[in-house]
């Protein structure tokens, strides 16, 4: 891969990713990986749910993300602290999450090959338990990062990458929860 390669990821699958980030990504001809919390989506056919008081994308909205070129990663069923679970419980959470996403979005389980630990919380045993089941995001890393437990090539937030190493094409900060979700970053 070329130097200065980066990944755009979103955790949880909030509806704002579909409403705000997806049009911006499309306009810039970029894609992202969305690590989707299954959560209470299983309670209804449309897959509508919420987490932390914010609406999650429905199954159809997640399908639209996939159709736009974005990829889906597993992010658990319950968003529990994986560092406190046994390795067997971690594997169960992750695989049930992947299975539910596959069934409801219509993406093969093999295509949901990345997993992000909720809140980045995981023990070494949890990481080791998932290694046979998930690949590093895009095959870019050989191991789980011990600090963040997310399989991406750079573990710094995108805004810090953009601020410290300006890219030719992308100079913006995505902050979907902020009232002004995209703010231009200007290198000093």
């Amino acid at each position: 891969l070329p130097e200065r390669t980066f990944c755009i990821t979103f955790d949880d699958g909030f509806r704002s990713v579909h409403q705000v980030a997806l049009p911006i990504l499309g306009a810039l001809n970029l894609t992202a990986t969305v690590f989707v919390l299954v959560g209470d989506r299983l309670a209804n056919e449309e897959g509508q749910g919420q987490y932390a008081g914010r609406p999650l994308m429905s199954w159809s909205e997640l399908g639209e993300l996939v159709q736009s070129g974005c990829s889906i990663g597993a992010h658990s069923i319950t968003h529990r602290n994986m560092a406190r679970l046994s390795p067997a419980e971690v594997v169960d959470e992750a695989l049930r999450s992947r299975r539910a996403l596959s069934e409801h979005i219509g993406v093969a389980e093999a295509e949901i090959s990345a997993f992000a630990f909720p809140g980045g919380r995981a023990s070494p045993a949890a990481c080791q338990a998932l290694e046979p089941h998930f690949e590093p995001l895009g095959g870019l890393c050989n191991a789980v990062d011990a600090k963040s437990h997310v399989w991406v090539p750079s573990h710094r937030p995108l805004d810090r990458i953009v601020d410290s190493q300006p890219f030719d094409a992308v100079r913006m900060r995505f902050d979907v929860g902020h009232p002004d979700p995209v703010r231009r970053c200007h290198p000093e």
Side-chain angles (χ1 to χ4, degrees), residues 41-162:
R41 284 190 181 99
L42 295 175
N44 67 68
E45 239 178 80
E46 291 81 30
Q48 296 179 352
Q50 64 175 351
Y51 176 70
R54 294 174 58 195
L56 297 168
M57 283 181 275
S58 67
W59 299 128
S60 62
E61 289 168 329
L62 288 165
E64 290 173 25
L65 278 180
V66 171
Q67 292 299 314
S68 75
C70 291
S71 59
I72 300 295
H75 195 49
S76 84
I77 297 284
T78 63
H79 212 273
R80 292 190 290 173
N81 182 343
M82 300 286 187
R84 295 185 177 163
L85 301 181
S86 71
E89 290 172 308
V90 170
V91 170
D92 180 63
E93 277 270 343
L95 295 183
R96 283 190 315 131
S97 170
R98 177 166 61 190
R99 191 174 320 113
L101 292 167
S102 173
E103 289 171 3
H104 291 282
I105 302 171
V107 173
E109 283 189 47
E111 292 181 44
I112 303 171
S113 61
F115 180 86
F117 288 92
R121 298 176 308 244
S123 64
C127 295
Q128 189 174 29
L130 290 185
E131 283 181 7
H133 304 284
F134 292 93
E135 297 176 16
L137 181 62
L140 298 174
C141 298
N142 293 325
V144 176
D145 176 67
K147 182 179 176 193
S148 68
H149 304 294
V150 177
W151 293 326
V152 296
S154 173
H155 303 285
R156 296 181 297 158
L158 179 59
D159 63 303
R160 287 200 205 137
I161 295 171
V162 173

